[in-house]
Amino acid sequence: MPILCVNVDHVATLRQARLGQEPDPVTAAQMVELAGACGVIVHLREDRRHIQDRDLAILRRTVRTKLSLEMAATEEMRSIALETGPDMVCLVPEKRRELTTEGGLDCLGREDELRDFLAPLHAAGVRSSLFIDADHRQIEAAARTGAEYVEIHTGHYADAEDRTRRKDELTRIIEAIRRAQAAGLRVNLGHGLNYTNIQSFAKVPGIFEYSIGHSIISRAVLLGLDRAVRDMVEIIRTFAD
């Protein structure tokens, strides 16, 4: 059965709006674990717009399930990852002025570079994932980097403006899942998934993990974090029925 990992970046975003101490993403991480999530995700950005270095350090000491670090493929971030020791890193593209990650990492022509970048992390026992678009060329390139996982970008599907476009994007993602599995990669899905559109993947085999943040934190504002996580966990559990 696929697992749910919850991104708590938006808790930190709210805290940073006042440059204060609350709400605390570390406390949020503890709560999502208690509510049934199988992992916690944070993105340490170059500009530190939400998650801070101190958050990551404390999370490493307190997360009891799985801690995943989203990061750009930079020397600074690799050094932090090696020092912190998350269970997994997910390499993502990063632009200074984007509101959120806008697309997948371009792996084409960078296979050797990414393999060399990941090698010290693998040697330290840190697993790796690449956040990529549902494109067979990117999947083939990702497989050549030595990464164990890919996280397929579901944002284009989630943001589709009409039913036809949504169906086309869903078909691309399902085909990408199949190709990634055939290439020996484990498959995660993430970006823009919510309590409604995730239902489209109920009968799709081979998904290892759903990475969800914004929709869960948005529901938590109205219903509470425990309820928001439990609702999503229950939806994913029904997929196995």
Side-chain angles (χ1 to χ4, degrees):
M1 186 180 73
I3 64 173
L4 171 65
C5 291
V6 178
N7 188 312
V8 297
D9 289 351
H10 291 291
V11 178
T13 297
L14 183 56
R15 178 194 61 192
Q16 296 305 112
R18 289 290 183 91
L19 298 178
Q21 297 181 348
E22 58 184 20
D24 182 6
V26 174
T27 302
Q30 294 170 339
M31 292 182 68
V32 303
E33 287 186 308
L34 289 172
C38 294
V40 174
I41 302 167
V42 292
H43 183 174
L44 186 65
R45 282 180 171 267
E46 178 193 21
D47 60 11
R48 306 304 198 267
R49 69 176 66 170
H50 37 60
I51 294 297
Q52 306 297 301
D53 297 66
R54 180 176 181 273
D55 298 326
L56 179 60
I58 297 173
L59 286 166
R60 178 62 292 176
R61 297 198 298 268
T62 56
V63 168
R64 294 291 177 261
T65 53
K66 170 187 173 183
L67 178 62
S68 294
L69 172 62
E70 294 182 347
M71 66 182 207
T74 65
E75 292 297 328
E76 179 199 19
M77 290 301 159
R78 183 170 65 179
S79 295
I80 291 171
L82 288 170
E83 180 179 355
T84 306
D87 298 294
M88 175 180 285
V89 298
C90 181
L91 301 187
V92 300
E94 193 171 299
K95 300 176 185 177
R96 277 184 182 270
R97 297 186 181 182
E98 64 185 0
L99 292 176
T100 184
T101 305
E102 296 175 349
L105 186 72
D106 188 0
C107 302
L108 285 171
R110 300 181 62 196
E111 294 92 335
D112 292 342
E113 172 195 344
L114 291 170
R115 185 185 304 109
D116 291 345
F117 182 87
L118 291 171
L121 292 162
H122 290 159
V126 179
R127 288 168 290 172
S128 62
S129 177
L130 304 178
F131 182 73
I132 61 172
D133 289 325
D135 182 307
H136 70 92
R137 297 166 301 173
Q138 297 294 340
I139 291 167
E140 292 164 3
R144 293 192 289 269
T145 68
E148 299 96 330
Y149 294 74
V150 288
E151 180 176 328
I152 295 176
H153 179 219
T154 52
H156 300 308
Y157 157 72
D159 296 336
E161 297 179 355
D162 56 61
R163 183 176 298 179
T164 299
R165 178 68 181 275
R166 191 176 304 113
K167 182 179 179 180
D168 289 344
E169 292 295 340
L170 179 62
T171 299
R172 289 180 63 231
I173 293 169
I174 292 173
E175 174 62 15
I177 292 170
R178 187 191 67 78
R179 285 179 177 271
Q181 289 177 299
L185 294 161
R186 286 191 169 188
V187 180
N188 302 333
L189 297 184
H191 204 79
L193 295 175
N194 59 39
Y195 295 84
T196 301
N197 62 28
I198 194 174
Q199 304 281 354
S200 297
F201 299 99
K203 301 302 180 183
V204 179
I207 300 168
F208 185 77
E209 171 186 309
Y210 293 99
S211 169
I212 305 177
H214 187 266
S215 65
I216 289 176
I217 302 305
S218 297
R219 178 170 286 205
V221 171
L222 303 177
L223 300 179
L225 187 54
D226 182 83
R227 169 72 180 277
V229 175
R230 290 184 188 277
D231 286 351
M232 187 63 80
V233 169
E234 184 58 30
I235 288 171
I236 294 172
R237 282 178 177 164
T238 66
F239 293 174
D241 295 341

